[in-house]
Amino acid sequence: MNAFQPSRPPLEPVEQRQVVTPVVPRPKRHLRQLSHRVMALETTAKVAVNLVIGTAAISALGQLLPYHWSQQDKLREIRTEVKVMEGRVNNLRTEFSRNFDPHQAKGIMQEKSYRFEPNKRQVVLINQEDSPGE
């Protein structure tokens, strides 16, 4: 493996004859212009699509905002009605608890039926100016 190998003379490149072809200009400029056109068309298409999407979004908002406002008005009306009803319910609850309070039963019976206990006298106020005795 470590044996000496005969040295070879360095290889010199063989000169090859180049075939001279007629000079044809490469279409680099044409390709560059074409790529710019393609990029311009692509950008234009993207802008057009975004405009269409934006127009659709604005149109949808234009239709949804009046609906939203009407729903907010209805909600405000319902909240007002709820407050009124809560007041009414509270009044009815206090009246209900008063009506069923055993300590106030006699007083409530007198209010509702205009009847009095037998040991009490009914007092009727008469205006003296209208009394027939004078």
Side-chain angles (χ1 to χ4, degrees):
M1 295 258 302
N2 290 335
F4 289 106
Q5 296 199 1
S7 64
R8 293 185 189 164
L11 295 175
E12 293 180 13
V14 178
E15 291 185 21
Q16 295 179 351
R17 293 176 98 197
Q18 292 184 352
V19 177
V20 178
T21 57
V23 178
V24 177
R26 289 186 175 173
K28 285 185 179 181
R29 178 186 284 176
H30 181 68
L31 288 176
R32 196 176 310 141
Q33 286 177 352
L34 184 64
S35 68
H36 287 307
R37 284 182 189 160
V38 169
M39 285 176 38
L41 285 174
E42 182 180 344
T43 305
T44 305
K46 286 180 182 179
V47 168
V49 167
N50 284 332
L51 284 175
V52 168
I53 291 172
T55 305
I58 290 171
S59 171
L61 280 177
Q63 291 176 357
L64 287 176
L65 282 177
Y67 177 75
H68 174 71
W69 292 330
S70 69
Q71 293 299 313
Q72 291 297 322
D73 290 340
K74 288 179 184 178
L75 183 62
R76 227 175 277 117
E77 289 176 15
I78 289 172
R79 285 183 179 158
T80 305
E81 289 179 15
V82 165
K83 286 181 183 178
V84 169
M85 286 299 151
E86 283 177 349
R88 227 177 123 196
V89 165
N90 288 336
N91 290 339
L92 290 173
R93 279 188 182 154
T94 55
E95 186 179 334
F96 180 80
S97 62
R98 182 177 167 261
N99 285 341
F100 285 96
D101 185 10
H103 299 292
Q104 297 181 8
K106 288 183 182 179
I108 293 171
M109 286 189 327
Q110 288 176 1
E111 286 177 19
K112 300 287 181 180
S113 64
Y114 302 106
R115 293 188 182 174
F116 299 98
E117 292 181 24
N119 59 356
K120 290 189 178 180
R121 292 187 183 207
Q122 184 176 5
V123 178
V124 179
L125 298 176
I126 301 175
N127 195 353
Q128 289 184 353
E129 297 172 3
D130 297 335
S131 65
E134 289 184 24

